[in-house]
Amino acid sequence: MGRPVLRTKLCDMLGIEYPVLSAGMGPSLVGEKTGATVDLVVAVSEAGGLGVLGAAGFTIDQMVEAIREIRKQTDKPFGVDLLLPSSTVSDGDRDLDGPLEIPLTDVLKTLPKSHYDWMLKVKDEMGLPDIDVMVNTGSTTVRPHAAVKACIEEKVPLFCAGLGNPGFMVKDAHAAGMKVLGISGNTKNAQRIAESGVDLVVAQGHEGGGHTGRVGSLALWPQAVDIAAPTPVLAAGGIGDGRGLAAALAVGCVGVWVGTRFLASHEGGLMDVQKDAIVRASDEDTRRTYLYTGKTSRATYNRFHDLWETSGLEPLPFPLQVLFASGMVEMFIQAQKFEYVGPFAGQVSGLINEIKPAGDILKDMVEEAVDILARRLPEEVTAKP
Ligand SMILES: Cc1cc2nc3c(=O)[nH]c(=O)nc-3n(C[C@H](O)[C@H](O)[C@H](O)COP(=O)(O)O)c2cc1C
């Protein structure tokens, strides 16, 4: 049998075989590099989809190096995802005066006393070790303008903006022959992003992993399709197999943006214990919490969530809460208290029973969607206009 055919206008727009993108997942915490690695990008693009590098935790040099490494390993299209929160975009890039890396322990001392004292209390009570992690002072997230410029110079085929609106860079990206994608969790933002001139909008439902909004996928996708029109919409949040892909196409999306399922792959950038946590998790085993970033994000439920609830503390604004949570999680990891550690992950975790190569995940997803659309639905559903 030849390769199955599953095409939408997304395939023509991006020059890909199948309408499946692996999501641009950055690091969950300071000290990690990325969830969506070079290997994941290459595997997904080589399998006929489009892999997106999670470059939020990289320095600009590391990002450019990763882009060039992808190009060495595949001639297929790929994407790069950055976080562009409006506050950092309007404040401008952080200067690179001073050291490029500083110890996380030094940064933690600058947190509000309430949070720092609570951290020391937990460390003392649980006998946690000192940590030895360096914080990057020049990541793409604090230098968004220079990072965007580097992506344009590298002519990245698809530029993706996680947080924020990439409208400010669309003209320059188009002049370089690139496409631009923005992500939204509600119709208000989907409309704002579409009107800023992007080529594609991702509508991510409440059930998705990482930063996530309040509206469920099946309610959001068709509403986003309507409001963003004529800009095409990709569905995200809760897609783990061919059933999710077929459902997304049925509501009018041109393709899918898949995070958690590709994270739990051989190539996904997580520690094995975290991948195992996704495999073990049922549909109810994730929580949406302010704990990790100060914004609402979904992660695998673990005992750190309970500990945080008892703290009585308010979350700090992004990105201070990221530093606070990273310090705590690093201590749990070094103490091997993995019951206090869980990755960003979505409710689709309950559907994931195995860590597989990313190319197999994509192949299985496409085959199942084709079977549903070409065989199962015509056989099982009687429909006549
Ligand atoms: C570990 C992890 C890290 C993430 N980091 C980012 C990020 O840096 N930028 C971004 O645009 N989205 C990020 N996301 C969200 C994904 O891009 C995607 O929208 C989401 O995973 C889709 O839902 P799903 O997990 O149900 O597939 C992250 C998701 C996960 C699971």
Side-chain angles (χ1 to χ4, degrees), residues 76-116:
K76 300 274 181 359
F78 63 93
V80 171
D81 180 278
L82 299 178
L83 297 179
L84 301 176
S86 52
S87 52
T88 56
V89 170
S90 56
D91 287 356
D93 290 3
R94 179 179 290 171
D95 289 336
L96 284 187
D97 301 341
L100 289 180
E101 285 194 318
I102 43 177
L104 178 55
T105 39
D106 288 358
V107 185
L108 294 176
K109 288 178 194 150
T110 68
L111 292 177
K113 191 170 168 350
S114 50
H115 289 65
Y116 189 59

Side-chain angles (χ1 to χ4, degrees), residues 184-214:
S184 168
N186 57 46
T187 52
K188 196 171 80 188
N189 274 333
Q191 181 174 28
R192 206 169 46 92
I193 293 172
E195 284 173 354
S196 75
V198 300
D199 303 282
L200 292 163
V201 171
V202 168
Q204 185 197 303
H206 175 76
E207 47 269 66
H211 287 127
T212 188
R214 287 187 289 264

